[in-house]
Amino acid sequence: MDLILEQKKQGDKSGSVPQREAPDRSRPLADVRNIGVIAHIDAGKTTTSERILFYAGRVHRMGEVHEGTATMDFMPQEKERGITITSAATTCFWNDHQINIIDTPGHVDFTVEVERSLRVLDGAVVVFCGVGGVQPQSETVWHQADRYKVPRIAFVNKMDRMGADFGSVVSQMQAKLGAVPVPIQIPWGREEQFRGVVDLVAMEAISFDESSLGVKVVSGPIPAELGAEAEKARAAMIELLAERDEGVLAAYLENVDVPAAVLKEGLRRATVAQKVTPVLCGASLRNKGVQQLLDAVVDFLPSPLDVPAIQGEHPKTHEVMTREADDFAPLSALVFKLINDPYMGRLAFVRVYSGQLKQGQNVFNARTRKRERVMKLVFLHADDRKEVDVIHAGEIGAVVGLKQVTTGDTLCVENMPVELERIRFPEPVISMAIEPKSQADREKLNEALGALAAEDPTCVVSVDKDTGQTLLSGMGELHLDILKDRMFREYKVQANAGRPMVAYRETILAEGRGEHLFDREIGGQRQYAELVLEVQPAQRGSGNSIEFDVPAGRLPSEFRPAVELGIQDGLMTGVLANYALTDVKVSVVGAAIHDQDSTEMAFRTAAVMAFRVAVKAARPALLEPIMTVEIILPLEHLGDVLSDVSSRRGHVQDMVNKETVQVVHARVPLAELFGYSTAIRSLTKGRASYTMEPACFDVVPEAIQQQLLER
């Protein structure tokens, strides 16, 4: 620390800028890229990631998802199902740049992995299927990237597939995502005849030698049949860029044919500023286009120096604080994921934003306000670990040995603490009861559930107050199935699991008023409090709010926190079936105190009781999760599928005819979708596929609500 301060003093005396990078870094900060690969399920994320690792020399044999050999899909459940379940991190090098990659799941049940990965990344590669285009989960991950202001490039994959249409995908990006896509390539050939790409910046045709698995790239003049299309596409690209970048505009006004170097610089500035999204194309499975994608990652996505400095707040004063990407700044690192490694124990994945995280160092947890010692540091390559002495600013790695951290914690230095914004996670929508097979298994089960919940914030463990059952809640049937499978395999737990159940919520449909006088003697002391509350429905999805509309003389400030806690207690338990209440606005409108006998406990109890009276008077109702479902099916089965959707209380939003298939978008209650994969296979003779994701909560119809409450 003294050395750092001395360096800064010397920098100040000489008038020069203080040094920002440690001499032992493997690459300068400007040459580091932290990127994620995100997409809808089955768009080809993991296949693309495998090719990136192969061409960058990180692996010497390409793994295949369909063979269960993909490097980034290392969990047994991923190999068996051919899908990505957990985000995997690795590092590779391309054109003398260090690229830290996180490959994320595409299935909506594991959207938490995308959420926490995007929180710590500087850029993203969004993979779209050339046939499917912008699909439901494509929209979800795009909006997640919007929320964290992550610059993106797009890769339209599977251009060799029947029905692939590059232009259609670009149009869908504009219409469905509100993006400004800028194609910097056009495909050379279609479907089975897909040969390569035309680079609109350098104006050359690029093909890939299949005998060398695409390692050998052949550049040449653009074929005559593509000349006119390429000129038109390049002109459109330059016009789009000129509208959004002053450098390109100045060059364009001098000469319509803007030089390639100027275009690259303009594309980089506009991409980092999130004004445009460069679009490339290829066929990862056939080893075409991935090397140009790597070039685009280096050329257009930001380094840690290009993105705004991270902001947080002082844990005590809540003063806004900024941390620059600087090895000599005070440490700030965000824990974005926890896993239990069978050999190393608990691993905390971290992104270091400023300073240096060193082995043996004491770090301060801004949430717990406690110090912990860093036992080991590792860099990650899927399920392999490489021990290192230091993780520098702008890098991603993992810490071994931290016992009290949770996802979203900030590690910093105690004398200059900062707390970075925590990661937001969706609420679980489905749950199942789980119990040990014998009393001897109970402790093992509790340990396993605790470990799973620590790893995955969307895995919630609770106890039903009425039945005493342990409930495991998650984001969908597949999520619960994976959690159950991991319990049995990894933690060797012998347990019985019940059928999945919907996680309902409660709300109110009208206004209500409740009052309660709490006046009792407890333990020889009188407890007195009187409260009047009003409740009214809030906009669906807006959550709960509490406000005080009562003079300080009638409800002194020292009792207000207790009243708020009491109302929170009521919101957590509901009045119909012990489900949490949501979308309720609570107003405290009246109160009375006794000078000697009013206590915090009395006001907390009075708040719960008055709240329950008010809610019962406000037409309480059950809410159920509604899912957006996309079904892709042959036209001849359309009638049967629509009839089935209707029988499940579903509403069709729209239907799109895509040459050989029909795409149906519908909203269906989650309660009606259990076992849907089997049902739709039966209806369409195995020819249909579907995906679903949470859309909103909506009121359960009265007849069905009555049935649920009578169970």
Side-chain angles (χ1 to χ4, degrees), residues 426-443:
E427 286 189 38
V429 295
I430 190 171
S431 58
M432 67 180 178
I434 192 154
E435 60 185 27
K437 283 191 175 178
S438 68
Q439 194 62 32
D441 289 310
R442 184 172 296 280
E443 190 174 334

Side-chain angles (χ1 to χ4, degrees), residues 147-262:
R147 184 157 62 248
Y148 292 115
K149 297 181 172 59
V150 177
R152 281 144 274 178
I153 57 177
F155 181 66
V156 181
N157 191 24
K158 302 189 180 184
M159 290 306 301
D160 58 323
R161 289 265 302 272
M162 183 181 291
D165 188 336
F166 181 72
S168 171
V169 179
V170 172
S171 298
Q172 288 176 49
M173 287 177 67
Q174 284 178 304
K176 293 185 177 182
L177 305 176
V180 183
V182 178
I184 60 173
Q185 295 176 346
I186 58 171
W188 179 3
R190 290 195 63 181
E191 300 176 347
E192 280 295 319
Q193 304 304 313
F194 179 69
R195 290 186 56 187
V197 299
V198 173
D199 184 339
L200 300 177
V201 177
M203 283 306 274
E204 60 184 12
I206 300 170
S207 60
F208 305 88
D209 176 47
E210 296 191 8
S211 63
S212 65
L213 299 177
V215 172
K216 186 179 176 186
V217 178
V218 182
S219 301
I222 298 170
E225 67 270 17
L226 286 174
E229 184 185 348
E231 289 289 352
K232 183 180 176 184
R234 189 174 199 270
M237 174 186 71
I238 292 171
E239 284 181 21
L240 261 173
L241 273 176
E243 290 172 8
R244 290 164 177 80
D245 183 79
E246 290 182 6
V248 175
L249 177 61
Y252 179 68
L253 293 174
E254 283 184 20
N255 184 355
V256 176
D257 188 20
V258 180
V262 176

Side-chain angles (χ1 to χ4, degrees), residues 435-466:
E435 60 185 27
K437 283 191 175 178
S438 68
Q439 194 62 32
D441 289 310
R442 184 172 296 280
E443 190 174 334
K444 264 179 140 182
L445 174 64
N446 290 337
E447 283 179 13
L449 291 174
L452 290 171
E455 279 188 30
D456 182 352
T458 57
C459 162
V460 177
V461 180
S462 59
V463 176
D464 188 291
K465 290 183 179 177
D466 294 335

Side-chain angles (χ1 to χ4, degrees), residues 568-708:
Q568 293 288 3
D569 292 342
L571 287 165
M572 287 296 294
T573 53
V575 297
L576 292 175
N578 290 333
Y579 295 116
L581 276 150
T582 188
D583 303 335
V584 177
K585 181 181 176 183
V586 187
S587 301
V588 181
V589 296
I593 62 168
H594 188 281
D595 291 342
Q596 282 83 38
D597 298 334
S598 286
T599 64
E600 289 184 6
M601 189 190 81
F603 269 104
R604 184 167 181 171
T605 307
V608 175
M609 304 308 291
F611 177 77
R612 292 180 70 83
V613 171
V615 169
K616 285 178 180 177
R619 287 179 55 207
L622 285 183
L623 291 175
E624 62 181 342
I626 307 295
M627 311 299 282
T628 296
V629 185
E630 181 187 74
I631 309 164
I632 301 172
L633 70 156
L635 188 59
E636 59 262 36
H637 297 294
L638 182 61
D640 292 337
V641 169
L642 292 180
S643 175
D644 182 65
V645 167
S646 179
S647 72
R648 294 172 185 271
R649 298 194 282 126
H651 299 283
V652 174
Q653 306 286 299
D654 65 61
M655 293 184 288
V656 181
N657 190 358
K658 286 193 174 181
E659 296 182 15
T660 57
V661 295
Q662 192 80 17
V663 181
V664 176
H665 296 108
R667 285 197 168 185
V668 187
L670 175 60
E672 305 291 344
L673 287 170
F674 290 129
Y676 189 57
S677 55
T678 305
I680 198 164
R681 277 200 298 269
S682 173
L683 280 172
T684 62
K685 299 178 182 173
R687 295 178 65 196
S689 64
Y690 79 98
T691 56
M692 63 178 179
E693 60 179 6
C696 59
F697 277 85
D698 206 356
V699 178
V700 178
E702 205 164 318
I704 294 170
Q705 179 172 303
Q706 200 59 40
Q707 292 172 15
L708 290 170

Side-chain angles (χ1 to χ4, degrees), residues 92-106:
C92 63
F93 297 90
W94 183 257
N95 289 351
D96 212 30
H97 283 65
Q98 177 181 330
I99 305 177
N100 303 317
I101 303 170
I102 297 182
D103 176 39
T104 63

Side-chain angles (χ1 to χ4, degrees), residues 118-144:
L118 285 171
R119 172 67 176 80
V120 298
L121 293 171
D122 301 323
V125 175
V126 189
V127 181
F128 295 99
C129 173
V131 181
V134 177
Q135 297 165 285
Q137 188 66 3
S138 310
E139 295 186 56
T140 302
V141 298
W142 188 273
H143 296 317
Q144 284 173 307

